[in-house]
Every structure is written in C-alpha cells, then in structure tokens.
Amino acid sequence: PTGDSSMVLRAQEEIIEMKDVFSVKLKRRRFVGQKKGGTLLGITIFKCLHKEENKLTDCAIHLNNLSEDHCHSWFRHLKDILNGFQNRPKSLKVFVNPSSHKREASHVYYEKVAPLFKLADIKTDVTVTEYEGHALSVLKECELQAFDGVVCVGGDGSVSEVAHGLLLKAQIDAGKDTDYIPTPVKAPVPLGVIPAGTANILAHTLYGIKHAVTATLHIVMGHIQPVDVCTFSTPSKLLRFGFSAMFGFGARTLALAEKHRWMPSNQRKDFAFIKTLADLKPEECELSFLPVHIPQEDSCENDRKKKEKIKRKGSKDQWHKIQGHFLNVSIMAIPCLCSMAPRGLAPNTRLNNGSMALIVVQNTSRTEFIKHLKRYASIKNQFNFPFVETYTVQEVKVQPRLKSGFDAKENTYLNAASAEGNYPWNIDGDLMKEASEVHVRVHPQLINLYGVNTDDLECSQATCNCI
C-alpha cells in the first residue's frame, strides 16, 4: 500500500488465491484520449469475489510499483499461472437473441458480459440471431474446434435451441444417423448460459440465481458441470435434444402465450396462465416408463426423500404402463429451479445422476390443481396430493389419444390434429407440436455446462410468493 505512514500501519495483510484471479493488467496513468503508453504505476489484479445468495462479482486489486522490470516480471509470471488453469476459455462462439423477454439480451451482453470477456482476454465471435432456428443453422456449419466453448445470451427457448444445435452438430461430425440416435456422442465443447429471458430455468439451476455477471464469471473461471440430456423422438425421427418437457397444462399455457406474442412479455405469460386454468381440461393418453433406482446420497437428500412421495415399482428392466386422463405430465432430467419454484420443478432429480423425474398430475378439480401449483412457490412438498404421482425413470413413452377414441397410431387424421396444435409439447420453454408417440430417453452427462452443482441449495429455506 502507498500513502501516509498511519494508513500503512492500519493496513492488514491480504492473501489472494490465484484460483480466484481471472486477469492481470499493467496499470498506467494516461491523459484523456491517450490509448497507448503512459506512466507505469504498477499492476492490477482482477479477482472473482463470492458474495451472498450465490452471487459472484469482480473486484480490482491495485499493486503499486514504479519499476518497469518489477512490473513486467510480475505480469509475466502471473499470466503464466493463469494460463495454467484448465477449462478457462480463450475463444468463445456467442449467440445473442435480441428478441428474448423485454428485448434486453443485446444490452445485457454488450454492457455486462462483453467487458468481462475482454478483461479476461477471451476472443469472441458474436452472432445476433435474426429468426427462430438461426443459431441452429449457424451451428450446423460452424467449425467448433476453433472455439473453447459456446455461449447463449437469451431465455430458455434460445438456450434449448443452441444446446440442441451443439449436440446435433456433434452427431453429424461423428457420422451418426440424425433420425435415430440411441447412443449419442457428447458435445465437443461446453455451453455457457447468460440469463436474459423470462423464466431462465437453466440459469437458475446452474447458478442458483438470475444474474448475468455471475453467469459470465462462471464461464470466465471455467467452472464446468457435466449435465444429463434427454432425446425426444417419434417412432420415425429425432425431434430434438433437451433437458425438460411438459405435456398438458404446461404445454397448452406456452402454446397460448405464443399465439399472443404481440402482448408484453409478463402480460402474455399471466394471460396464458389464467386462460388455460379457466379452460382446464385433461389429456387422455397412455404413459409407458422404465423405472430406475437411485441410491440415496447425503443427509439433506435423505431428509428430502423421506418427505416426498416417490413411487418406484418393479425391476429395472420392466416397463410399466399407466393410462388415463392427465392434467399435466412433466419429464425432467434436471431439477429446474426458477423464481416461481425455489426448490425446483423436479427437486427429486439431479443435474447428472442419469435419471429423469416423471411427474404425473391426474384429473382433479380446478381448486385442487391450483393448490398443487401454489405449493411450487413454497418449501412445502408440491407432490403430496392424492392425484400427483412421481417416478424416477430412464425412459418414457407418451401416447396421446385422439378425442374420437381411435388409436393415435392407426388414425390417418393424426397429422391434421398435430398441425392444429391439439397436442403441444413444451420442451425447455420451446413449443413443439407433436401428436404421435413421443419417446424420451435420458443420456448421462451428454453435455458440459459452465456452472456449479446447486444441490446444496435444496437445504436452504428459500420462499417465493410469485403464484
């Protein structure tokens, strides 16, 4: 430290761990408008600071020294140490969806994210998407070996498209038949998620918070988490890769919201939710699933499982079928945390334990269904209702039944029903319209995402009154 002697005496020694440092720069005094040269004052170290509520921020520590030799020597040695850390990206392919949420993604990227990437000496190749499917088409042609990672700035739909494109590109490069992929290959580079959407479920699940700077610093620091991915397929082709899906109420709500894109984001979401609730009706379908047994882990996990009703039947290799009228069916490979569900939409699964949560809400009264929905916003068990069943599974087949009562597989008027959106699917916040049988498989640790494992957050007493 510099300054008068009294300040020096009061200063306390501070230890900086190099694993928390992400950049070092030479510090110079420059005149207004001067871009090069200037009087050397020392070096500045940029550190990732852990704050409360899972938030990360950056801070600068100035080390003063007027010696050119000393400063350059420190600068070189510190840079060598930083270059030795694994997983820290040097080059990133970035997708920005300017239409996400309140059209704030471009502002979020250029004001909050890009400066940190520049500070960390990360080169970026930015594509601002212009239409749905733009990122997918770019990724199919992209030479991914030129990058250390891919970043998406947007909402859950945008992230889903980029993740699907990244994995599809991996299958194409591996020479796989993209219509049928029983054993897909892993994505070649990690995916980073910068939240700029409405729900930001994936960002909440990875970081425990919707905060662009926190997300950026996890990418800069190279915090990598392997994550399970699902394939959604019809009997004839692969629909897409994804992390979670809803059929029934959750999908119909999204379908109605998509029809009213002209409305402001929050109004559109609230309108669709209330209107779908008012017109609440069950879907008739048959569910086939292959159960899997997950061993219990830590004490927090044991306490949680004692409180929740988790039904596991039969042996590992035996398919089970349930048929009936269901208000909502959720299939989730990750916990799906968000502001409206602080414990997660599927708290009985993990980021990478090789299983999916199948949550089935059978037909019930509107009043009881609302009680179930309200539970998501509290710390109470949202599954503790007689009409809600949960299963831990590795595969699921969903077979909707046409209202006429004919078998959906045999009915030739199936495609017309699909085109009218009679059987929409909500896959990671993206609307897909499929009426035929959908087969969902989980593939363990198929992709690496920048982030941390937020399992510890389950023990927290977070509450929310959004619903």
Side-chain angles (χ1 to χ4, degrees), residues 140 142-145 168-176 185 188:
K140 281 183 178 178
C142 186
E143 297 295 332
L144 288 173
Q145 62 266 29
L168 198 61
K169 172 66 171 172
Q171 312 318 308
I172 294 169
D173 289 349
K176 297 261 184 181
V185 298

Side-chain angles (χ1 to χ4, degrees), residues 25 110 132 174 209 218 245 254 268 306 331 374 381 389 431:
K25 302 288 183 185
Y110 289 109
E132 188 177 343
I209 191 173
H218 278 299
L254 178 64
R268 179 172 72 240
K306 286 175 187 174
I331 304 164
K374 281 187 172 182
N381 181 6
E389 295 183 359
L431 186 65

Side-chain angles (χ1 to χ4, degrees), residues 87 92 147-151 166 187-192 224 447-450:
N87 299 328
L92 293 170
F147 302 101
D148 299 315
V150 173
V151 173
L166 197 54
V189 293
L191 171 61
I224 284 180
I447 194 170
N448 284 333
L449 299 180
Y450 288 107

